[in-house]
Amino acid sequence: VFVVALAAIGYARYGTPEAWKGVPVAQSEAEAGHGSAMGQIEAMVGKLEERLKAQPEDADGWSMLGRSYSALGRYPDSVKAFQKVVDMKPKDAQGYADLADAKAMEAGRKLVGEPAKLIAKALELDPKNLKALALAGTIAFDNNDYAKAAQLWEAAVAVAEPGSELANNLQGGVAEARSRAGLPAPSAPAAPALAATAAITGKVQLAAALKAKASPDDTVFVF
């Protein structure tokens, strides 16, 4: 159930990039499909909620539910879910980082105060936590401490997936922070070695009952 919900949330959030970037989307069949997908997501989130009523000690389940709430914009509910994660796993840096993020969103995207303390706790537990490093860099940048922001974001780049959108965004932030701090521009990342290139191939088949309901334009998520 968790995997299906996460896949659906990913589709709903990223399947129509204009929606979450704040760009108005014209009324269309695609928009109608997006709304339908959101309805399906909410139904699946309801199943997660019911499952956790029966298994309230499932910290990973609460973490997934917290991220689901965040994707739906239900930040107060997300805060409650991540608080349960932290209560059950007080040494989990990711839990503190997720809780800080949710609290900041609930407060109108403000990281000052309690979110900042939670981020500091996350980094105390794991100095290489990606989300905590990224958020801490944002705090430093907002406080005009550009040298510290660059340092934190560089540390985040080091643990982010190479070539990912997040890594590229962080590198852009590093360049901006270093420029404002009067520091030299960061050196370009080395090109990956050819030997590191790899590929995974396979064949995905749909059951006959599902094939009749699918269309060639449908998106398939593979975990």
PDB file of all heavy atoms in Angstrom, residues 160-198:
ATOM      1  N   ALA A 160      24.415  14.009  -2.471  1.00  0.00           N
ATOM      2  CA  ALA A 160      23.267  13.904  -3.372  1.00  0.00           C
ATOM      3  C   ALA A 160      23.612  12.996  -4.548  1.00  0.00           C
ATOM      4  O   ALA A 160      24.785  12.769  -4.854  1.00  0.00           O
ATOM      5  CB  ALA A 160      22.864  15.283  -3.882  1.00  0.00           C
ATOM      6  N   GLU A 161      22.585  12.477  -5.197  1.00  0.00           N
ATOM      7  CA  GLU A 161      22.813  11.621  -6.360  1.00  0.00           C
ATOM      8  C   GLU A 161      23.428  12.440  -7.485  1.00  0.00           C
ATOM      9  O   GLU A 161      22.837  13.448  -7.908  1.00  0.00           O
ATOM     10  CB  GLU A 161      21.495  11.020  -6.830  1.00  0.00           C
ATOM     11  CG  GLU A 161      21.647  10.096  -8.038  1.00  0.00           C
ATOM     12  CD  GLU A 161      20.308   9.558  -8.520  1.00  0.00           C
ATOM     13  OE1 GLU A 161      19.299   9.788  -7.841  1.00  0.00           O
ATOM     14  OE2 GLU A 161      20.295   8.917  -9.591  1.00  0.00           O
ATOM     15  N   PRO A 162      24.596  12.072  -7.984  1.00  0.00           N
ATOM     16  CA  PRO A 162      25.254  12.850  -9.040  1.00  0.00           C
ATOM     17  C   PRO A 162      24.372  13.004 -10.271  1.00  0.00           C
ATOM     18  O   PRO A 162      23.758  12.039 -10.732  1.00  0.00           O
ATOM     19  CB  PRO A 162      26.512  12.017  -9.355  1.00  0.00           C
ATOM     20  CG  PRO A 162      26.765  11.211  -8.122  1.00  0.00           C
ATOM     21  CD  PRO A 162      25.395  10.898  -7.575  1.00  0.00           C
ATOM     22  N   GLY A 163      24.284  14.221 -10.776  1.00  0.00           N
ATOM     23  CA  GLY A 163      23.521  14.475 -11.985  1.00  0.00           C
ATOM     24  C   GLY A 163      22.024  14.606 -11.771  1.00  0.00           C
ATOM     25  O   GLY A 163      21.288  14.897 -12.716  1.00  0.00           O
ATOM     26  N   SER A 164      21.549  14.412 -10.522  1.00  0.00           N
ATOM     27  CA  SER A 164      20.120  14.523 -10.258  1.00  0.00           C
ATOM     28  C   SER A 164      19.699  15.991 -10.272  1.00  0.00           C
ATOM     29  O   SER A 164      20.521  16.904 -10.168  1.00  0.00           O
ATOM     30  CB  SER A 164      19.775  13.911  -8.904  1.00  0.00           C
ATOM     31  OG  SER A 164      20.374  14.647  -7.849  1.00  0.00           O
ATOM     32  N   GLU A 165      18.392  16.227 -10.392  1.00  0.00           N
ATOM     33  CA  GLU A 165      17.882  17.600 -10.388  1.00  0.00           C
ATOM     34  C   GLU A 165      18.223  18.292  -9.081  1.00  0.00           C
ATOM     35  O   GLU A 165      18.579  19.467  -9.066  1.00  0.00           O
ATOM     36  CB  GLU A 165      16.368  17.595 -10.615  1.00  0.00           C
ATOM     37  CG  GLU A 165      15.764  19.002 -10.691  1.00  0.00           C
ATOM     38  CD  GLU A 165      14.281  18.974 -10.975  1.00  0.00           C
ATOM     39  OE1 GLU A 165      13.723  17.880 -11.144  1.00  0.00           O
ATOM     40  OE2 GLU A 165      13.668  20.056 -11.025  1.00  0.00           O
ATOM     41  N   LEU A 166      18.129  17.557  -7.963  1.00  0.00           N
ATOM     42  CA  LEU A 166      18.462  18.136  -6.667  1.00  0.00           C
ATOM     43  C   LEU A 166      19.919  18.556  -6.625  1.00  0.00           C
ATOM     44  O   LEU A 166      20.250  19.655  -6.173  1.00  0.00           O
ATOM     45  CB  LEU A 166      18.162  17.137  -5.550  1.00  0.00           C
ATOM     46  CG  LEU A 166      18.580  17.576  -4.140  1.00  0.00           C
ATOM     47  CD1 LEU A 166      17.894  18.878  -3.756  1.00  0.00           C
ATOM     48  CD2 LEU A 166      18.251  16.484  -3.130  1.00  0.00           C
ATOM     49  N   ALA A 167      20.812  17.679  -7.101  1.00  0.00           N
ATOM     50  CA  ALA A 167      22.235  18.007  -7.101  1.00  0.00           C
ATOM     51  C   ALA A 167      22.512  19.244  -7.951  1.00  0.00           C
ATOM     52  O   ALA A 167      23.288  20.129  -7.565  1.00  0.00           O
ATOM     53  CB  ALA A 167      23.055  16.821  -7.606  1.00  0.00           C
ATOM     54  N   ASN A 168      21.867  19.327  -9.100  1.00  0.00           N
ATOM     55  CA  ASN A 168      22.056  20.485  -9.974  1.00  0.00           C
ATOM     56  C   ASN A 168      21.549  21.766  -9.318  1.00  0.00           C
ATOM     57  O   ASN A 168      22.184  22.825  -9.416  1.00  0.00           O
ATOM     58  CB  ASN A 168      21.342  20.259 -11.309  1.00  0.00           C
ATOM     59  CG  ASN A 168      21.967  19.141 -12.120  1.00  0.00           C
ATOM     60  OD1 ASN A 168      23.143  18.821 -11.945  1.00  0.00           O
ATOM     61  ND2 ASN A 168      21.203  18.530 -13.003  1.00  0.00           N
ATOM     62  N   ASN A 169      20.402  21.673  -8.643  1.00  0.00           N
ATOM     63  CA  ASN A 169      19.869  22.843  -7.954  1.00  0.00           C
ATOM     64  C   ASN A 169      20.788  23.287  -6.822  1.00  0.00           C
ATOM     65  O   ASN A 169      21.004  24.491  -6.612  1.00  0.00           O
ATOM     66  CB  ASN A 169      18.474  22.546  -7.397  1.00  0.00           C
ATOM     67  CG  ASN A 169      17.428  22.432  -8.489  1.00  0.00           C
ATOM     68  OD1 ASN A 169      17.613  22.933  -9.596  1.00  0.00           O
ATOM     69  ND2 ASN A 169      16.326  21.765  -8.182  1.00  0.00           N
ATOM     70  N   LEU A 170      21.317  22.316  -6.094  1.00  0.00           N
ATOM     71  CA  LEU A 170      22.237  22.642  -5.010  1.00  0.00           C
ATOM     72  C   LEU A 170      23.508  23.306  -5.537  1.00  0.00           C
ATOM     73  O   LEU A 170      24.017  24.260  -4.946  1.00  0.00           O
ATOM     74  CB  LEU A 170      22.599  21.369  -4.237  1.00  0.00           C
ATOM     75  CG  LEU A 170      21.516  20.808  -3.311  1.00  0.00           C
ATOM     76  CD1 LEU A 170      21.883  19.402  -2.849  1.00  0.00           C
ATOM     77  CD2 LEU A 170      21.316  21.721  -2.101  1.00  0.00           C
ATOM     78  N   GLN A 171      24.007  22.805  -6.663  1.00  0.00           N
ATOM     79  CA  GLN A 171      25.201  23.404  -7.260  1.00  0.00           C
ATOM     80  C   GLN A 171      24.939  24.842  -7.682  1.00  0.00           C
ATOM     81  O   GLN A 171      25.805  25.711  -7.544  1.00  0.00           O
ATOM     82  CB  GLN A 171      25.661  22.558  -8.443  1.00  0.00           C
ATOM     83  CG  GLN A 171      26.296  21.235  -8.026  1.00  0.00           C
ATOM     84  CD  GLN A 171      26.514  20.288  -9.186  1.00  0.00           C
ATOM     85  OE1 GLN A 171      25.971  20.470 -10.271  1.00  0.00           O
ATOM     86  NE2 GLN A 171      27.312  19.250  -8.957  1.00  0.00           N
ATOM     87  N   GLY A 172      23.722  25.094  -8.182  1.00  0.00           N
ATOM     88  CA  GLY A 172      23.364  26.473  -8.515  1.00  0.00           C
ATOM     89  C   GLY A 172      23.346  27.347  -7.279  1.00  0.00           C
ATOM     90  O   GLY A 172      23.785  28.502  -7.311  1.00  0.00           O
ATOM     91  N   GLY A 173      22.841  26.795  -6.165  1.00  0.00           N
ATOM     92  CA  GLY A 173      22.841  27.532  -4.913  1.00  0.00           C
ATOM     93  C   GLY A 173      24.241  27.805  -4.410  1.00  0.00           C
ATOM     94  O   GLY A 173      24.533  28.891  -3.907  1.00  0.00           O
ATOM     95  N   VAL A 174      25.121  26.826  -4.555  1.00  0.00           N
ATOM     96  CA  VAL A 174      26.519  27.002  -4.146  1.00  0.00           C
ATOM     97  C   VAL A 174      27.154  28.150  -4.930  1.00  0.00           C
ATOM     98  O   VAL A 174      27.832  29.023  -4.353  1.00  0.00           O
ATOM     99  CB  VAL A 174      27.321  25.704  -4.364  1.00  0.00           C
ATOM    100  CG1 VAL A 174      28.814  25.963  -4.196  1.00  0.00           C
ATOM    101  CG2 VAL A 174      26.862  24.631  -3.390  1.00  0.00           C
ATOM    102  N   ALA A 175      26.932  28.167  -6.231  1.00  0.00           N
ATOM    103  CA  ALA A 175      27.513  29.220  -7.069  1.00  0.00           C
ATOM    104  C   ALA A 175      27.009  30.593  -6.649  1.00  0.00           C
ATOM    105  O   ALA A 175      27.787  31.554  -6.556  1.00  0.00           O
ATOM    106  CB  ALA A 175      27.174  28.950  -8.537  1.00  0.00           C
ATOM    107  N   GLU A 176      25.712  30.697  -6.374  1.00  0.00           N
ATOM    108  CA  GLU A 176      25.133  31.977  -5.962  1.00  0.00           C
ATOM    109  C   GLU A 176      25.676  32.416  -4.609  1.00  0.00           C
ATOM    110  O   GLU A 176      26.035  33.584  -4.406  1.00  0.00           O
ATOM    111  CB  GLU A 176      23.612  31.853  -5.902  1.00  0.00           C
ATOM    112  CG  GLU A 176      22.891  33.094  -5.410  1.00  0.00           C
ATOM    113  CD  GLU A 176      22.991  34.271  -6.368  1.00  0.00           C
ATOM    114  OE1 GLU A 176      23.345  34.042  -7.548  1.00  0.00           O
ATOM    115  OE2 GLU A 176      22.712  35.406  -5.936  1.00  0.00           O
ATOM    116  N   ALA A 177      25.746  31.465  -3.658  1.00  0.00           N
ATOM    117  CA  ALA A 177      26.244  31.790  -2.323  1.00  0.00           C
ATOM    118  C   ALA A 177      27.709  32.209  -2.358  1.00  0.00           C
ATOM    119  O   ALA A 177      28.109  33.183  -1.703  1.00  0.00           O
ATOM    120  CB  ALA A 177      26.047  30.595  -1.391  1.00  0.00           C
ATOM    121  N   ARG A 178      28.520  31.490  -3.122  1.00  0.00           N
ATOM    122  CA  ARG A 178      29.940  31.841  -3.210  1.00  0.00           C
ATOM    123  C   ARG A 178      30.122  33.207  -3.870  1.00  0.00           C
ATOM    124  O   ARG A 178      30.997  33.995  -3.484  1.00  0.00           O
ATOM    125  CB  ARG A 178      30.700  30.758  -3.982  1.00  0.00           C
ATOM    126  CG  ARG A 178      30.789  29.429  -3.248  1.00  0.00           C
ATOM    127  CD  ARG A 178      31.584  28.406  -4.040  1.00  0.00           C
ATOM    128  NE  ARG A 178      33.002  28.729  -4.055  1.00  0.00           N
ATOM    129  CZ  ARG A 178      33.887  28.329  -3.140  1.00  0.00           C
ATOM    130  NH1 ARG A 178      33.480  27.568  -2.132  1.00  0.00           N
ATOM    131  NH2 ARG A 178      35.151  28.661  -3.222  1.00  0.00           N
ATOM    132  N   SER A 179      29.293  33.493  -4.857  1.00  0.00           N
ATOM    133  CA  SER A 179      29.385  34.789  -5.520  1.00  0.00           C
ATOM    134  C   SER A 179      29.070  35.919  -4.537  1.00  0.00           C
ATOM    135  O   SER A 179      29.773  36.930  -4.481  1.00  0.00           O
ATOM    136  CB  SER A 179      28.417  34.834  -6.703  1.00  0.00           C
ATOM    137  OG  SER A 179      28.379  36.123  -7.289  1.00  0.00           O
ATOM    138  N   ARG A 180      28.019  35.743  -3.751  1.00  0.00           N
ATOM    139  CA  ARG A 180      27.631  36.779  -2.787  1.00  0.00           C
ATOM    140  C   ARG A 180      28.645  36.910  -1.665  1.00  0.00           C
ATOM    141  O   ARG A 180      28.781  37.980  -1.069  1.00  0.00           O
ATOM    142  CB  ARG A 180      26.255  36.467  -2.214  1.00  0.00           C
ATOM    143  CG  ARG A 180      25.126  36.523  -3.238  1.00  0.00           C
ATOM    144  CD  ARG A 180      23.772  36.598  -2.569  1.00  0.00           C
ATOM    145  NE  ARG A 180      22.686  36.574  -3.536  1.00  0.00           N
ATOM    146  CZ  ARG A 180      21.451  36.965  -3.258  1.00  0.00           C
ATOM    147  NH1 ARG A 180      21.154  37.404  -2.052  1.00  0.00           N
ATOM    148  NH2 ARG A 180      20.510  36.899  -4.188  1.00  0.00           N
ATOM    149  N   ALA A 181      29.338  35.804  -1.356  1.00  0.00           N
ATOM    150  CA  ALA A 181      30.350  35.844  -0.300  1.00  0.00           C
ATOM    151  C   ALA A 181      31.695  36.347  -0.803  1.00  0.00           C
ATOM    152  O   ALA A 181      32.633  36.494  -0.023  1.00  0.00           O
ATOM    153  CB  ALA A 181      30.506  34.446   0.308  1.00  0.00           C
ATOM    154  N   GLY A 182      31.809  36.607  -2.102  1.00  0.00           N
ATOM    155  CA  GLY A 182      33.079  37.053  -2.670  1.00  0.00           C
ATOM    156  C   GLY A 182      34.092  35.943  -2.803  1.00  0.00           C
ATOM    157  O   GLY A 182      35.297  36.204  -2.872  1.00  0.00           O
ATOM    158  N   LEU A 183      33.616  34.713  -2.865  1.00  0.00           N
ATOM    159  CA  LEU A 183      34.491  33.555  -2.997  1.00  0.00           C
ATOM    160  C   LEU A 183      34.601  33.153  -4.460  1.00  0.00           C
ATOM    161  O   LEU A 183      33.700  33.436  -5.256  1.00  0.00           O
ATOM    162  CB  LEU A 183      33.953  32.378  -2.176  1.00  0.00           C
ATOM    163  CG  LEU A 183      33.834  32.600  -0.670  1.00  0.00           C
ATOM    164  CD1 LEU A 183      33.090  31.434  -0.016  1.00  0.00           C
ATOM    165  CD2 LEU A 183      35.206  32.777  -0.051  1.00  0.00           C
ATOM    166  N   PRO A 184      35.682  32.495  -4.846  1.00  0.00           N
ATOM    167  CA  PRO A 184      35.799  32.039  -6.239  1.00  0.00           C
ATOM    168  C   PRO A 184      34.716  31.044  -6.591  1.00  0.00           C
ATOM    169  O   PRO A 184      34.199  30.337  -5.724  1.00  0.00           O
ATOM    170  CB  PRO A 184      37.200  31.405  -6.283  1.00  0.00           C
ATOM    171  CG  PRO A 184      37.510  31.049  -4.860  1.00  0.00           C
ATOM    172  CD  PRO A 184      36.854  32.115  -4.035  1.00  0.00           C
ATOM    173  N   ALA A 185      34.369  30.999  -7.854  1.00  0.00           N
ATOM    174  CA  ALA A 185      33.332  30.079  -8.319  1.00  0.00           C
ATOM    175  C   ALA A 185      33.759  28.644  -8.062  1.00  0.00           C
ATOM    176  O   ALA A 185      34.950  28.316  -8.130  1.00  0.00           O
ATOM    177  CB  ALA A 185      33.065  30.289  -9.799  1.00  0.00           C
ATOM    178  N   PRO A 186      32.832  27.761  -7.768  1.00  0.00           N
ATOM    179  CA  PRO A 186      33.188  26.356  -7.525  1.00  0.00           C
ATOM    180  C   PRO A 186      33.699  25.717  -8.800  1.00  0.00           C
ATOM    181  O   PRO A 186      33.280  26.060  -9.905  1.00  0.00           O
ATOM    182  CB  PRO A 186      31.861  25.723  -7.081  1.00  0.00           C
ATOM    183  CG  PRO A 186      30.810  26.598  -7.691  1.00  0.00           C
ATOM    184  CD  PRO A 186      31.382  27.989  -7.682  1.00  0.00           C
ATOM    185  N   SER A 187      34.621  24.793  -8.632  1.00  0.00           N
ATOM    186  CA  SER A 187      35.147  24.091  -9.790  1.00  0.00           C
ATOM    187  C   SER A 187      34.095  23.168 -10.352  1.00  0.00           C
ATOM    188  O   SER A 187      33.245  22.640  -9.623  1.00  0.00           O
ATOM    189  CB  SER A 187      36.392  23.286  -9.405  1.00  0.00           C
ATOM    190  OG  SER A 187      36.090  22.383  -8.355  1.00  0.00           O
ATOM    191  N   ALA A 188      34.120  22.954 -11.657  1.00  0.00           N
ATOM    192  CA  ALA A 188      33.137  22.091 -12.306  1.00  0.00           C
ATOM    193  C   ALA A 188      33.343  20.657 -11.851  1.00  0.00           C
ATOM    194  O   ALA A 188      34.485  20.198 -11.695  1.00  0.00           O
ATOM    195  CB  ALA A 188      33.267  22.183 -13.817  1.00  0.00           C
ATOM    196  N   PRO A 189      32.265  19.907 -11.613  1.00  0.00           N
ATOM    197  CA  PRO A 189      32.404  18.505 -11.206  1.00  0.00           C
ATOM    198  C   PRO A 189      33.049  17.682 -12.304  1.00  0.00           C
ATOM    199  O   PRO A 189      32.845  17.929 -13.493  1.00  0.00           O
ATOM    200  CB  PRO A 189      30.958  18.065 -10.951  1.00  0.00           C
ATOM    201  CG  PRO A 189      30.129  19.000 -11.767  1.00  0.00           C
ATOM    202  CD  PRO A 189      30.869  20.313 -11.761  1.00  0.00           C
ATOM    203  N   ALA A 190      33.845  16.736 -11.900  1.00  0.00           N
ATOM    204  CA  ALA A 190      34.529  15.886 -12.869  1.00  0.00           C
ATOM    205  C   ALA A 190      33.524  15.038 -13.632  1.00  0.00           C
ATOM    206  O   ALA A 190      32.508  14.606 -13.095  1.00  0.00           O
ATOM    207  CB  ALA A 190      35.534  14.985 -12.144  1.00  0.00           C
ATOM    208  N   ALA A 191      33.823  14.808 -14.904  1.00  0.00           N
ATOM    209  CA  ALA A 191      32.944  13.967 -15.724  1.00  0.00           C
ATOM    210  C   ALA A 191      33.037  12.529 -15.238  1.00  0.00           C
ATOM    211  O   ALA A 191      34.107  12.054 -14.855  1.00  0.00           O
ATOM    212  CB  ALA A 191      33.366  14.049 -17.187  1.00  0.00           C
ATOM    213  N   PRO A 192      31.926  11.822 -15.183  1.00  0.00           N
ATOM    214  CA  PRO A 192      31.956  10.431 -14.710  1.00  0.00           C
ATOM    215  C   PRO A 192      32.770   9.548 -15.645  1.00  0.00           C
ATOM    216  O   PRO A 192      32.776   9.739 -16.856  1.00  0.00           O
ATOM    217  CB  PRO A 192      30.476  10.031 -14.720  1.00  0.00           C
ATOM    218  CG  PRO A 192      29.842  10.954 -15.719  1.00  0.00           C
ATOM    219  CD  PRO A 192      30.598  12.242 -15.618  1.00  0.00           C
ATOM    220  N   ALA A 193      33.462   8.603 -15.059  1.00  0.00           N
ATOM    221  CA  ALA A 193      34.257   7.682 -15.851  1.00  0.00           C
ATOM    222  C   ALA A 193      33.355   6.791 -16.687  1.00  0.00           C
ATOM    223  O   ALA A 193      32.262   6.420 -16.269  1.00  0.00           O
ATOM    224  CB  ALA A 193      35.130   6.825 -14.927  1.00  0.00           C
ATOM    225  N   LEU A 194      33.821   6.433 -17.868  1.00  0.00           N
ATOM    226  CA  LEU A 194      33.017   5.587 -18.748  1.00  0.00           C
ATOM    227  C   LEU A 194      32.740   4.240 -18.119  1.00  0.00           C
ATOM    228  O   LEU A 194      31.692   3.635 -18.331  1.00  0.00           O
ATOM    229  CB  LEU A 194      33.744   5.399 -20.088  1.00  0.00           C
ATOM    230  CG  LEU A 194      33.851   6.650 -20.969  1.00  0.00           C
ATOM    231  CD1 LEU A 194      34.633   6.320 -22.229  1.00  0.00           C
ATOM    232  CD2 LEU A 194      32.468   7.167 -21.335  1.00  0.00           C
ATOM    233  N   ALA A 195      33.688   3.789 -17.295  1.00  0.00           N
ATOM    234  CA  ALA A 195      33.514   2.481 -16.671  1.00  0.00           C
ATOM    235  C   ALA A 195      32.339   2.467 -15.699  1.00  0.00           C
ATOM    236  O   ALA A 195      31.811   1.413 -15.355  1.00  0.00           O
ATOM    237  CB  ALA A 195      34.792   2.085 -15.949  1.00  0.00           C
ATOM    238  N   ALA A 196      31.939   3.669 -15.250  1.00  0.00           N
ATOM    239  CA  ALA A 196      30.851   3.738 -14.285  1.00  0.00           C
ATOM    240  C   ALA A 196      29.487   3.681 -14.953  1.00  0.00           C
ATOM    241  O   ALA A 196      28.473   3.570 -14.293  1.00  0.00           O
ATOM    242  CB  ALA A 196      30.956   5.030 -13.483  1.00  0.00           C
ATOM    243  N   THR A 197      29.479   3.791 -16.289  1.00  0.00           N
ATOM    244  CA  THR A 197      28.204   3.755 -17.004  1.00  0.00           C
ATOM    245  C   THR A 197      27.583   2.366 -16.908  1.00  0.00           C
ATOM    246  O   THR A 197      28.242   1.364 -17.111  1.00  0.00           O
ATOM    247  CB  THR A 197      28.409   4.130 -18.483  1.00  0.00           C
ATOM    248  OG1 THR A 197      28.993   5.420 -18.553  1.00  0.00           O
ATOM    249  CG2 THR A 197      27.074   4.156 -19.221  1.00  0.00           C
ATOM    250  N   ALA A 198      26.305   2.323 -16.568  1.00  0.00           N
ATOM    251  CA  ALA A 198      25.629   1.029 -16.433  1.00  0.00           C
ATOM    252  C   ALA A 198      24.194   1.165 -16.898  1.00  0.00           C
ATOM    253  O   ALA A 198      23.674   2.270 -17.017  1.00  0.00           O
ATOM    254  CB  ALA A 198      25.674   0.547 -14.986  1.00  0.00           C
TER     255      ALA A 198
END
